[in-house]
């Protein structure tokens, strides 16, 4: 247990150092806040990094319009609690103004549409650094990321054109119109995140804990039976005890059958599972390189 505390202290110190580097090197940084556990931990770390001063970064939420109600409720309560600034980019607005075209059919999702809304929001508010909660252990494309991840003047990511990062020296120099995505918990694992949440007593959306929900099965995944998902005639809605391991757009967030009602249960469940955290994300299964393709276009 003592070894775990020391390990988490080292990770926390590194992340706080990175967040302070962001504040020092950039003029208009922001935290990309999804309402998921990783962005919640990043926000908590930023609060600790600058306490007792006010959180120096606004929270930017790209709202697909197909979010879980619990996510939005949690977001609004956290913003009020921290006295933080909230900026919301609306995918629905991007659809209404013709910036993006909504998908149709049974597998339609607004997840990929977030990219345009995100880049428009970055340009509108002139953010030069966007802090995200991605971790290298999540997915193979994210394993290629630097902590300071350079994006060109189109907001796109080129994995072959990134700065070396030696001895925790981060290079945030850029040309006009370019920006950086910064990932302060890159070196954390899913288990680290959950153990830190337990240690710090961080509140989370109720979606992360086992609850009874109407669901249906598609391609081996349990999905929430919500109006925003078009179901096939043979897809039967039933009630199951489930929880989320990762939270995103309802249409692509797979639910896990679970009996984990508290943080200790969740940690034990993760220690025993052989399914990756994003194994339940339908958007990652559209192709072998789905995540990398989205990232190259400007995705999180």
């Amino acid at each position: 247990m003592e070894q775990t505390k020391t390990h988490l202290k080292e990770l926390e110190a590194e992340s706080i150092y990175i967040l302070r580097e962001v504040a020092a090197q950039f003029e208009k940084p922001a935290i990309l806040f999804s309402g998921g556990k990783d962005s919640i931990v990043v926000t908590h770390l930023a609060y600790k990094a600058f306490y007792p001063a006010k959180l120096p970064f606004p929270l930017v939420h790209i709202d697909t319009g197909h979010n879980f109600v619990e996510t939005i409720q949690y977001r609004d309560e956290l913003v009020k609690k921290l006295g933080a600034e909230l900026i919301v980019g609306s995918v629905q607005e991007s659809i209404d103004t013709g910036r993006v075209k909504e998908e149709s059919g049974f597998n339609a999702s607004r997840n990929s549409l977030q990219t345009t809304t995100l880049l428009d929001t970055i340009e509108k508010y002139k953010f030069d650094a966007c802090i995200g909660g991605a971790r290298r252990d999540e997915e193979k494309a994210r394993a290629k990321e630097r902590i300071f991840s350079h994006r060109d003047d189109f907001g796109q990511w080129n994995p072959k054109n990134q700065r070396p990062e030696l001895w925790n020296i981060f290079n945030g120099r850029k040309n006009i119109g370019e920006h950086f995505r910064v990932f302060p918990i890159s070196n954390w694992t899913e288990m680290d995140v959950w153990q830190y949440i337990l240690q710090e007593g961080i509140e989370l959306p109720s979606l992360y804990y086992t609850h009874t929900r109407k669901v249906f099965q598609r391609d081996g995944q349990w999905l929430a039976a919500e109006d925003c998902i078009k179901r096939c005639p043979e897809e039967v809605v039933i009630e199951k005890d489930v929880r989320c391991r990762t939270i995103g757009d309802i249409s692509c967030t797979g639910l896990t059958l679970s009996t984990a009602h508290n943080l200790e249960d969740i940690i034990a469940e993760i220690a025993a599972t052989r399914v990756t955290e994003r194994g339940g994300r339908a958007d990652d299964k559209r192709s072998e390189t789905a995540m990398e393709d989205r990232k190259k276009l400007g995705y999180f």
Side-chain angles (χ1 to χ4, degrees):
M1 187 65 180
E2 194 60 41
Q3 187 176 1
T4 299
K5 286 183 179 180
T6 301
H7 173 63
L8 293 177
K9 273 186 172 294
E10 290 173 351
L11 289 174
E12 180 189 68
E14 179 188 52
S15 298
I16 285 175
Y17 168 74
I18 292 165
L19 288 162
R20 288 172 177 166
E21 278 292 299
V22 172
Q25 292 195 39
F26 297 99
E27 293 182 12
K28 288 201 70 176
I31 293 175
L32 299 178
F33 187 83
S34 66
K37 70 183 185 312
D38 297 320
S39 64
I40 291 169
V41 165
V42 168
T43 303
H44 178 82
L45 288 162
Y47 176 77
K48 291 189 76 170
F50 300 98
Y51 182 83
K54 185 180 177 181
L55 191 70
F57 315 121
L59 303 185
V60 176
H61 180 216
I62 303 304
D63 182 1
T64 66
H66 291 167
N67 290 291
F68 289 99
V69 172
E70 295 93 331
T71 303
I72 302 301
Q73 288 176 342
Y74 177 90
R75 179 200 70 184
D76 293 345
E77 289 170 5
L78 182 65
V79 166
K80 185 178 180 180
K81 177 182 174 182
L82 297 179
E85 178 186 2
L86 174 66
I87 294 171
V88 179
S90 169
V91 172
Q92 184 62 57
E93 185 177 314
S94 297
I95 294 168
D96 294 343
T97 56
R99 292 285 294 144
V100 294
K101 182 178 179 181
E102 185 152 26
E103 296 178 0
S104 59
F106 291 109
N107 292 306
S109 171
R110 289 186 173 185
N111 202 52
S112 63
L113 306 186
Q114 294 179 83
T115 299
T116 297
T117 308
L118 172 62
L119 294 178
D120 287 349
T121 304
I122 291 171
E123 183 175 358
K124 178 180 178 180
Y125 291 93
K126 296 180 170 54
F127 295 128
D128 55 359
C130 291
I131 305 162
R135 307 184 323 269
R136 287 177 177 141
D137 73 320
E138 283 183 84
E139 200 274 342
K140 57 189 177 183
R142 285 185 167 169
K144 298 180 180 180
E145 284 279 19
R146 298 289 195 269
I147 292 174
F148 273 36
S149 180
H150 175 262
R151 303 299 170 108
D152 65 21
D153 51 357
F154 291 102
Q156 297 178 334
W157 174 65
N158 181 354
K160 296 179 180 179
N161 184 30
Q162 299 295 319
R163 318 292 176 66
E165 291 181 342
L166 306 172
W167 306 292
N168 285 341
I169 298 174
F170 302 111
N171 182 354
R173 284 181 289 182
K174 58 180 179 51
N175 297 317
I176 293 174
E178 299 174 346
H179 73 276
F180 278 80
R181 306 288 171 84
V182 180
F183 304 109
I185 62 170
S186 283
N187 292 328
W188 298 47
T189 65
E190 182 186 11
M191 182 62 82
D192 293 331
V193 168
W194 280 112
Q195 289 178 332
Y196 186 73
I197 289 168
L198 175 62
Q199 175 183 285
E200 297 289 296
I202 299 172
E203 292 184 16
L204 294 175
S206 59
L207 291 164
Y208 278 112
Y209 303 99
T210 296
H211 57 285
T212 302
R213 183 177 289 272
K214 290 182 178 179
V215 297
F216 67 95
Q217 196 166 45
R218 174 180 293 173
D219 298 329
Q221 291 181 314
W222 292 103
L223 296 173
E226 300 285 347
D227 292 341
C228 61
I229 306 180
K230 186 178 180 181
R231 295 190 301 276
C232 302
E234 66 273 15
E235 291 175 333
V236 180
V237 175
I238 59 176
E239 286 193 346
K240 287 281 186 180
D241 288 340
V242 296
R243 72 176 192 87
C244 292
R245 278 181 75 186
T246 174
I247 296 175
D249 185 271
I250 290 175
S251 63
C252 60
T253 299
L255 302 169
T256 301
L257 299 179
S258 176
T259 58
H261 293 279
N262 55 51
L263 291 172
E264 289 86 355
D265 290 345
I266 290 172
I267 289 170
E269 188 177 272
I270 291 168
T273 188
R274 293 297 175 263
V275 178
T276 63
E277 179 182 1
R278 291 189 69 93
R281 288 294 290 268
D283 50 327
D284 288 354
K285 298 182 179 182
R286 292 194 168 194
S287 73
E288 280 293 317
T289 58
M291 171 67 85
E292 184 157 342
D293 292 341
R294 293 200 306 275
K295 284 174 65 62
K296 285 179 178 178
L297 294 173
Y299 186 75
F300 298 105

